[in-house]
């Protein structure tokens, strides 16, 4: 499954979780599911897998659990055959009809005869199901080279009635011979009317989890005794030989761990590497170029934003423009208009910004698109974002405009934020199917009524070179 998910993400441009779920649903409904993955033997490890996946493989020791009534073999359901389930292919039309039970209704003279025929068919269907499960159980119990462990249970959580051993476990125990000591334990059947003991035990857990659990009081008392006792607690002064040997082992392992930590600190200092994701928002791309360490810190330990992002990010002006242009969009939290604006105006300045915009250069222009979401792949990285507005010009070109409610940046920061426009320009060229040279992009600073269109915006190749040149990992303080 992990391989399927990774392949889908790498081969699908702008892959999303909803698209992957739709892919899985289509595979289940239209293609009879995904192909079964092949299991590889792993030396020195415990592998947990189904009997189907274990076919053709061998291990030294194999444990087959769940040999319990209703589990292996499982219960047969009427909905699994064509006389009880809708949409099930009639058995006579199936390619394996020879091995399937038949419905002998032709010889029935009355309703009782039909019921008897149906009972015979149902019994045959149950027997068929057990035969199929027996083949599966045979695969499971023939996987070990040296030792086979089989087990079942009387009670499972939530069940009112006891279940007990399946016919397979009974047959295995009989074949092995209880008298030879091979059957380690065989629990007696519960008494009539016995209640499920697992239902009486209510699982409780505290959060955050206490690593000491029920041992905390004892450990705390012992620690207090150590603190209160005078003297030298070095390993050499421990008189009891067994305790001293155990303390020496602990001391040796602690010194190894301390030496490993010191070696890592000498090699990397107090920084650790954080892998960059294969999907970045435009604001993350800008932040990566401006302050890689800050982005790495957020990627390493994402923190939830405050519940009032609208007022914090100054998006009232953008929302007003949406309404003015007749566009209402559903936005992701990291795609909120103005989310990437450093020093954006507070919502309290809405009236001032509205007046400035209505008297500015773009007030009388009608955009061809507003709040345009996009996902484009550049250099193997999916870039996601949302363009504020796109305007069509008389000469067939386009202007992608990003509204800015803060002050104009200068120096190096002005160059860094220009990457945002380069991504917008490339994305609109792809969406509109026009050459990149026919798309201009600019920041409109509302307060100053100034539109800044950098003349040296990167094209697709330039943006790809920038992304490829970015480190795959970024150092961040521990």
């Amino acid at each position: 499954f992990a391989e399927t998910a990774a392949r889908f993400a790498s081969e699908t441009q702008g892959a999303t979780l909803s698209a992957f779920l739709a892919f899985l649903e289509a595979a289940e409904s239209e293609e009879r599911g995904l192909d079964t993955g092949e299991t590889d033997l792993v030396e020195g490890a415990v592998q947990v897998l189904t009997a189907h996946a274990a076919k053709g493989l061998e291990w030294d020791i194999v444990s087959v659990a769940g040999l319990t009534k209703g589990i292996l073999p499982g219960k047969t359901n009427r909905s699994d055959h064509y006389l009880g389930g809708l949409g099930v292919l009639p058995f006579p039309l199936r390619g394996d009809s020879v091995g399937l039970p038949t419905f002998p209704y032709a010889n029935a003279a009355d309703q009782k005869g039909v019921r008897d025929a149906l009972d015979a068919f149902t019994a045959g269907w149950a027997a068929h199901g057990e035969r199929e499960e027996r083949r599966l159980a045979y695969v499971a119990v023939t996987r070990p080279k040296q030792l086979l462990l089989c087990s079942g249970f009387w009670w499972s959580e939530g069940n009112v009635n006891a279940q007990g051993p399946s016919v397979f476990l009974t047959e295995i125990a009989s074949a092995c011979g209880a008298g030879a000591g091979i059957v380690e334990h065989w629990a007696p059947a519960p008494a009539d009317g016995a209640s499920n003991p697992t239902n009486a035990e209510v699982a409780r857990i505290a959060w955050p989890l206490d690593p000491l659990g029920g041992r905390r009081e004892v450990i705390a008392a012992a620690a207090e005794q150590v603190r209160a006792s005078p003297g030298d607690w070095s390993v050499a002064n421990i008189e009891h030989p067994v305790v001293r040997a155990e303390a020496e082992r602990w001391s040796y392992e602690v010194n190894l761990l301390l030496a490993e930590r010191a070696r890592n600190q000498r090699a990397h200092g107090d920084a650790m590497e954080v892998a960059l994701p294969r999907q970045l928002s435009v604001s993350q791309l800008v932040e990566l170029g401006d302050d890689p360490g800050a982005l790495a810190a957020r990627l390493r330990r994402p923190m939830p934003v405050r519940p009032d992002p609208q007022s914090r990010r100054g998006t009232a002006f953008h929302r007003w423009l949406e309404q003015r242009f007749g566009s209402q969009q559903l936005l992701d939290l990291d795609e909120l208009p103005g989310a990437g604006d450093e020093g954006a105006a507070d919502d309290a300045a809405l009236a001032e910004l509205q007046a400035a915009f209505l008297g500015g250069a773009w007030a009388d222009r009608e955009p061809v698109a507003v709040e345009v979401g996009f996902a484009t792949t550049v250099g193997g990285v999916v870039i996601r974002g949302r363009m504020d507005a796109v305007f069509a010009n008389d000469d067939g070109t386009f202007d992608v405009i990003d509204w800015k409610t803060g002050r104009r940046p200068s120096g190096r920061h002005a160059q860094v934020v220009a990457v945002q426009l380069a991504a917008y320009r490339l994305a609109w060229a792809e969406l509109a199917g026009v050459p990149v040279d026919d798309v201009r992009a600019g920041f409109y600073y509302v307060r100053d009524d100034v539109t800044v269109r950098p003349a040296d915006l990167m094209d697709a190749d330039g943006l790809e070179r920038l992304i490829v040149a970015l480190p795959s990992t970024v150092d961040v303080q521990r």
Side-chain angles (χ1 to χ4, degrees):
F1 179 77
E3 291 175 356
T4 299
R7 186 169 61 252
F8 179 86
S10 63
E11 296 177 354
T12 306
Q13 183 174 350
T16 62
L17 177 59
S18 58
F20 181 56
L21 294 177
F23 163 74
L24 295 179
E25 184 177 354
E28 180 180 15
S29 60
E30 305 296 338
E31 301 176 8
R32 303 180 66 181
L34 301 172
D35 293 335
T36 303
E38 295 183 0
T39 301
D40 296 326
L41 289 175
V42 180
E43 295 291 339
V46 176
Q47 293 181 262
V48 181
L49 63 160
T50 65
H52 292 90
K55 187 176 181 180
L57 303 177
E58 282 188 328
W59 291 265
D60 291 332
I61 302 173
V62 172
S63 175
V64 181
L67 293 174
T68 303
K69 287 182 180 178
I71 296 180
L72 189 63
K75 297 178 181 179
T76 56
N77 300 314
R78 288 192 60 186
S79 60
D80 293 336
H81 60 72
Y82 73 104
L83 295 182
L86 295 176
V88 180
L89 187 67
F91 290 176
L93 302 180
R94 285 174 47 166
D96 58 347
S97 59
V98 176
L100 298 175
T102 59
F103 180 33
Y105 63 90
N107 298 327
D110 50 24
Q111 289 185 352
K112 182 179 181 304
V114 174
R115 284 197 300 271
D116 292 342
L118 182 58
D119 291 341
F121 175 84
T122 302
W125 176 243
H128 171 78
E130 183 174 315
R131 286 194 301 272
E132 293 295 313
E133 296 276 78
R134 186 175 292 274
R135 293 188 181 98
L136 184 61
Y138 176 81
V139 170
V141 301
T142 54
R143 296 309 93 202
K145 299 177 183 178
Q146 300 178 14
L147 178 63
L148 170 67
L149 306 173
C150 297
S151 63
F153 49 83
W154 281 106
W155 299 102
S156 62
E157 186 176 359
N159 275 9
V160 177
N161 300 319
Q163 292 171 263
S166 75
V167 61
F168 299 157
L169 187 60
T170 303
E171 292 175 1
I172 292 172
S174 176
C176 292
I182 295 179
V183 178
E184 182 175 328
H185 179 68
W186 195 273
D192 293 341
S195 58
N196 188 341
T198 65
N199 293 342
E201 300 174 1
V202 180
R204 300 181 184 278
I205 189 170
W207 182 261
L209 185 66
D210 185 352
L212 296 178
R215 299 170 56 239
R216 170 159 294 281
E217 292 186 7
V218 176
I219 298 297
E224 187 59 35
Q225 290 182 11
V226 171
R227 295 190 189 97
S229 300
D232 186 0
W233 286 92
S234 63
V235 174
N237 293 333
I238 300 177
E239 297 182 359
H240 195 288
V242 176
V243 176
R244 184 171 62 252
E246 186 68 7
E248 289 175 348
R249 183 179 67 84
W250 284 8
S251 177
Y252 174 72
E253 293 181 355
V254 167
N255 288 331
L256 287 179
L257 292 173
L258 292 174
E260 181 182 14
R261 186 181 71 171
R263 185 178 68 247
N264 291 337
Q265 287 181 337
R266 287 194 300 270
H268 305 289
D270 291 330
M272 66 177 298
E273 290 185 337
V274 176
L276 293 177
R278 302 312 297 171
Q279 293 193 33
L280 292 172
S281 66
V282 172
S283 58
Q284 287 177 324
L285 183 62
V286 173
E287 185 177 4
L288 181 61
D290 186 36
D291 190 349
L295 176 61
R298 289 203 300 113
L299 292 175
R300 176 174 178 255
R301 181 170 294 177
M303 298 296 291
V305 297
R306 292 181 58 183
D308 58 342
Q310 291 283 345
S311 60
R312 184 174 66 86
R313 302 189 187 196
T315 58
F317 174 75
H318 291 80
R319 191 167 59 249
W320 171 72
L321 281 183
E322 281 184 38
Q323 297 169 353
R324 186 174 187 274
F325 292 133
S327 173
Q328 293 291 322
Q329 303 284 343
L330 294 176
L331 305 179
D332 292 335
L333 191 61
D334 62 346
E335 292 180 345
L336 282 170
D341 294 357
E342 188 71 25
D346 188 84
D347 282 357
L350 176 60
E352 176 188 350
L353 293 170
Q354 288 174 331
F357 181 84
L358 293 176
W362 296 96
D364 298 329
R365 296 284 302 273
E366 188 69 26
V368 295
V370 178
E371 299 299 343
V372 184
F374 68 89
T376 184
T377 302
V378 180
V381 177
V382 177
I383 306 299
R384 297 181 297 105
R386 189 173 294 272
M387 295 171 272
D388 283 350
V390 181
F391 296 86
N393 300 314
D394 295 337
D395 59 358
T397 61
F398 295 90
D399 273 307
V400 179
I401 300 299
D402 190 73
W403 314 121
K404 296 294 185 183
T405 60
R407 300 298 180 185
R408 293 175 57 182
S410 59
R412 175 181 173 276
H413 187 60
Q415 297 176 348
V416 170
V417 296
V419 175
Q420 178 180 356
L421 295 180
Y424 287 170
R425 181 169 172 255
L426 178 62
W428 180 252
E430 291 182 355
L431 291 174
V434 299
V436 176
D437 293 338
D438 289 346
V439 181
R440 297 185 300 176
F443 294 125
Y444 178 62
Y445 294 93
V446 180
R447 292 177 181 271
D448 303 327
D449 188 23
V450 172
T451 302
V452 177
R453 297 188 182 89
D456 55 348
L457 286 179
M458 290 176 286
D459 57 10
D461 293 338
L463 197 58
E464 181 173 352
R465 285 193 298 270
L466 172 68
I467 293 177
V468 171
L470 292 174
S472 60
T473 57
V474 179
D475 287 344
V476 61
Q477 294 300 309
R478 296 178 185 271

